[in-house]
Amino acid sequence: MKTQHKSGLHPRNRHQAPYDFDALCQRTPSLLPFVFVNEHGNQTLDFADPAAVKALNRALLALHYGIHHWDLPPGYLCPPIPGRVDYLHRVADLLAESAGQVPTGKKVRVLDIGVGANCIYPLLGAREYGWRFVGSDIDPVSVKAATLLATSNGLGNQIECRHQPDAKQIFRGILGSKERFMLTLCNPPFHASLAEASKGTERKLRNLGKAQAGAPVLNFGGQKAELWCEGGEAAFLATMIAQSQVFGAQCLWFSSLVSKKENLPAANKALARVGAKEVRVLEMTQGNKISRILAWSFLDEASRVAWWSASGR
């Protein structure tokens, strides 16, 4: 019988229990000024405060993953660590179907589309599983910042960041003609406009009891390419699916986070049109928040096993 984790996180996720603020502050003293005891007698911090969220991330990465140098340019996206690493654990299980076990080591090569200035998926994936990453981004500042994070944490040989000069292309211009990846990851822009992104932040602040007049501060930050694109998540997914077909023989699995469940039916129809042989929807739950990973492959099961065997030597 499988153990049911109350948090809804993957069983291998290190963040099943509430944050251990004593241990976090001991490892990263700069977090201490942000921690307080709430009316229930529990240690916590103000999750509506961007500085507090960044300090928490820095402490979590240092304590649990040995990432001791982590920072962001002002205004860039500060991602929630438990949810990001959950994505990695769930796609690791997907790869295990072909590999025969959860794969680790540098033979596993992963493409992170939209690596961001935070470089979070490559950093976590390199530390948790020893995988190698290529991270792409249309923003040169993000590419430079992510590269610095990789090298400053001794992961320059495992993480390579590439600039995508054409914002309309997702894979072309990044994947070489002979390159092969076992997995692609993506955290697509969620909103269709800056106004929509701002409304989303206002809702978060209200939920945190921090509603305020005027333009809200984005507690997790985020630049245009990180938060929104024309057509929002649905349009981005449609483009990614259409363009993935050309590279179907170079990637074992394509995947993307899908925040809005209502975007799945159109995505599934698009995958049928391009001839995807296998489609999976992997649900992720964290507290009351439910999101999902859409994964697809242009190879059938036997071909994926053979592809893995050939690529894993």
Side-chain angles (χ1 to χ4, degrees), residues 38-62:
N38 64 17
E39 64 271 21
H40 304 293
N42 299 320
Q43 286 183 305
T44 188
L45 51 77
D46 182 358
F47 286 92
D49 180 354
V53 172
K54 184 187 286 190
L56 174 62
N57 271 15
R58 189 178 290 122
L60 289 169
L61 290 168

Side-chain angles (χ1 to χ4, degrees), residues 141-165:
V141 175
S142 289
V143 172
K144 184 177 180 180
T147 299
L148 179 60
L149 288 175
T151 55
S152 61
N153 285 285
L155 295 169
N157 291 329
Q158 269 180 265
I159 299 171
E160 176 192 355
C161 299
R162 301 176 184 175
H163 178 235
Q164 170 57 273

Side-chain angles (χ1 to χ4, degrees), residues 2 104 164 235 240 251 278 308:
K2 294 183 179 179
T104 60
Q164 170 57 273
M240 179 185 295
C251 298
E278 186 85 30
W308 182 277

